[in-house]
Amino acid sequence: MMQHKKDYFVIFENKIHTMKLIPFLLLGSQVFFAQNIAQKLDAATKDLLNSTPAYSANLSVYVADEAGNFIYEYKGNQGLSTASTQKIFTAAAALETLGKNYQYTTTASYSGNISAGNLSGNIFISSNGDPTLGSWRYDNYKPENFKQKLIDALKQNGISKISGDLILDDSYFDFQTTPGGWPWNDMGNYYGAGVWGLNWRENQFDINMNGKEIKNLNVDLPNVKWVNEVKTGGSSDQSLVFTAPYSDVAYINGNLPAKAVTVSGATPNPPLTLGSEIKNWLKEAGIDFNGKITSTSMQKINGEYILAAPKNNVLLEYKSPTLDKIIFWFMRKSVNFYGETLIKTLGKEKKNSGSFDAGISYLKDFWKGKGINSAMINFADGSGLSPQNYVSARAEVQSLLWSRKQPWFNEFFDGFPTQGNGMKMKSGTMKDTKSFAGYHTSKDGKKYVFAIIINNYQSSNLSDALYKVLNVLK
C-alpha cells in the first residue's frame, strides 16, 4: 500500500512538472518560430541589398506580430521617401479626428431679390472643400446628380432669369493649392491635382488624343492655351502634362502611340471649369443668364472686391458621401488629391487654418501623441507625392498597429489593395522608390504587421524585388 502511494505521488509530481513546462515550451516554440522567420527575412533582405540595382539603395524594413512584438528589422528607424504608403497616416488620422460619417457640404445661395422669376443678384456656389463634388466614383454623386439638384433648386425657387453674376466661392481653404516640394513633372498630371476650397471632378480633365493631335477635352478650361510638343512612338502613354494653378498656359510633351489615347491632367482652375459647366446647364434648363463667371480667388488675383457667399438665402445644401467611402477610394486607387484635401480639412477643423502647413503640423502632433517618435515622421504632405517626406518603416508599423485597434479599422483596411504577390497592402511608387505596408496572415495562421521602403533602387522591377522579402511572411 505504501509503495502504491509513493508511486502516485511520483506520478503527480511529474504531471505538475510537465504542466509547468508547457508554457515554457510554447514560449520557446514561439521564440524559435520568430527567430526562424527573422533569419529568413534577414537572408531575403541581404539578397535584395546584394543585387546590382541596390548598389546605392537605402532600405528600411520592420516586421511585428499582431500584438506588436518585434520580429525583424533592417534600419527600421531610418526615414526614407515613402511615396503612397504615407497615406496610411493621413487616412487613419482623418477617420479618428473627423469620424467615419463626416460629410462635406457644397452650398448654392444668392444675393439680392427674386421677383417675377427674375433674380436681381448673384448666384454663389461655395463649399468646405468637398473632394468628391463631380467625381465619377460614387453612385448618386456623379456630375449629373449635382446638376439636377442645382437646377431643381433654382426652379423650385421660381428663378427663370439671373440678372447678376455666377460667383464660385473657393475661399474656405487658403490660396496655396499644392504642397511645397511637389515636383514640376508631377503637378500638371492628374495625380498632381491641387486642392481648392471648391473642387470639381477631382480637379482632373481628360485630353482625347489621336496620336500627337489633340482632338478635344472632356471639360472646358476657360482661357487656357495649349502648347503641344507630343511625338508619336512606342506602345504606351509616355506623355507629361504641365499645368500650374490659375495659369492660362498648358503644355504637353513626350511620346504617345499612333492611335486614340486619353491623357489626364490636373485642372488649372477648377472653380472656373465648374462655372463654365453651370452656365451650360442654365442654358439647357431655359434659365436666362448673361452675367460673368468668376471666383473669389480670381477676385483676389485681379485686385477686386471679394464677394463671399451669403449665409442666408440658401438654395441648396449638397452633401458628400461619408468619409469612410472617401477613404476607401483614397486607399484603393491612391488618390493623391484626396490626401491633400484631408490635410487641409484637418488643419481647418483642428487649427482653424485651411493650409497645408497647419494640416501637416496637426498630423505630426497626432501621431506623436500615439507614441511614434517625431524624428521618424517627417511629413511634407498627406499623399506621399512629395520626395521631401521622410518616414521610417517602424513608424508605419506602429501606425498600423494602433489603427488595428480602432472601431473604424474595417473601413480603413477595406481600401487596401491586393498586390501582385497576393498580399493585401498599401503600396507606394515613385522614380526608383517603392514601398509596401500592411497586414498579412500566413498559411499557418501567424499574423504580421509590416512595412518596407526602398529608395534609389535602379530597376524597373521594384515590386518583384520587395515581394521576395515579403513572401517570407506567406
Side-chain angles (χ1 to χ4, degrees), residues 72 121 140 144 167 187 267 269 271-272 310 326 329 346 379 406 415 450 460 469:
Y72 176 76
N140 302 316
E144 55 268 27
I167 300 173
M187 282 174 53
T267 308
N269 204 328
L272 294 191
I326 297 171
W329 289 112
L346 290 171
F379 301 136
Q406 307 313 310
F450 60 88
S460 60
V469 176

Side-chain angles (χ1 to χ4, degrees), residues 198-439:
L198 179 60
N199 304 297
W200 180 242
R201 294 182 180 266
E202 297 190 5
N203 298 350
Q204 173 181 325
F205 66 91
D206 296 331
I207 316 167
N208 297 311
M209 304 286 298
N210 188 8
K212 62 182 180 180
E213 179 187 358
I214 297 177
K215 298 296 289 183
N216 54 60
L217 277 65
N218 70 320
V219 296
D220 181 32
L221 303 181
N223 307 316
V224 170
K225 297 179 177 62
W226 280 89
V227 176
N228 178 6
E229 294 187 347
V230 170
K231 298 176 182 178
T232 53
S235 58
S236 63
D237 179 358
Q238 297 298 317
S239 66
L240 285 174
V241 179
F242 296 85
T243 63
Y246 309 108
S247 176
D248 57 4
V249 177
Y251 173 48
I252 182 170
N253 67 8
N255 295 301
L256 287 172
K259 62 179 182 179
V261 176
T262 299
V263 177
S264 298
T267 308
N269 204 328
L272 294 191
T273 292
L274 171 58
S276 180
E277 289 201 43
I278 291 175
K279 182 179 180 179
N280 291 334
W281 299 346
L282 295 173
K283 184 177 180 180
E284 291 173 12
I287 298 173
D288 189 16
F289 170 71
N290 294 304
K292 68 177 182 178
I293 301 170
T294 189
S295 69
T296 50
S297 289
M298 293 309 298
Q299 289 170 343
K300 180 178 289 189
I301 289 170
N302 296 327
E304 299 170 356
Y305 179 76
I306 296 175
L307 296 171
K311 300 297 183 185
N312 51 9
N313 295 342
V314 172
L315 297 166
L316 171 68
E317 287 189 340
Y318 186 83
K319 296 287 187 179
S320 75
T322 52
L323 182 62
D324 56 347
K325 306 296 191 303
I326 297 171
I327 293 296
F328 173 85
W329 289 112
F330 175 46
M331 302 298 281
R332 181 61 60 90
K333 291 298 183 181
S334 209
V335 185
N336 295 330
F337 163 64
Y338 283 6
E340 305 315 326
T341 305
L342 290 170
I343 285 296
K344 282 201 165 191
T345 301
L346 290 171
K348 187 76 170 183
E349 292 279 352
K350 303 306 292 185
K351 290 182 175 286
N352 198 32
S353 174
S355 68
F356 293 115
D357 286 347
I360 292 299
S361 174
Y362 175 77
L363 190 67
K364 289 180 181 178
D365 290 344
F366 178 90
W367 287 110
K368 184 179 177 182
K370 307 306 175 195
I372 298 179
N373 188 306
S374 60
M376 297 194 298
I377 45 173
N378 191 4
F379 301 136
D381 66 14
S383 65
L385 185 59
S386 173
Q388 295 178 7
N389 288 296
Y390 295 103
V391 174
S392 72
R394 182 183 178 191
E396 293 197 332
V397 169
Q398 286 178 305
S399 123
L400 290 171
L401 286 166
W402 180 84
S403 297
R404 192 175 178 275
K405 300 173 185 175
Q406 307 313 310
W408 40 258
F409 174 72
N410 289 339
E411 288 83 357
F412 172 72
F413 185 52
D414 191 34
F416 281 50
T418 299
Q419 303 295 337
N421 68 341
M423 296 173 75
K424 191 169 181 177
M425 52 190 176
K426 188 72 193 79
S427 66
T429 308
M430 291 195 300
K431 184 178 185 297
D432 298 334
T433 290
K434 192 73 186 184
S435 62
F436 291 106
Y439 311 84

Side-chain angles (χ1 to χ4, degrees), residues 169-181:
D169 185 348
D170 58 349
S171 63
Y172 185 77
F173 295 143
D174 72 350
F175 189 77
Q176 183 180 340
T177 63
T178 56

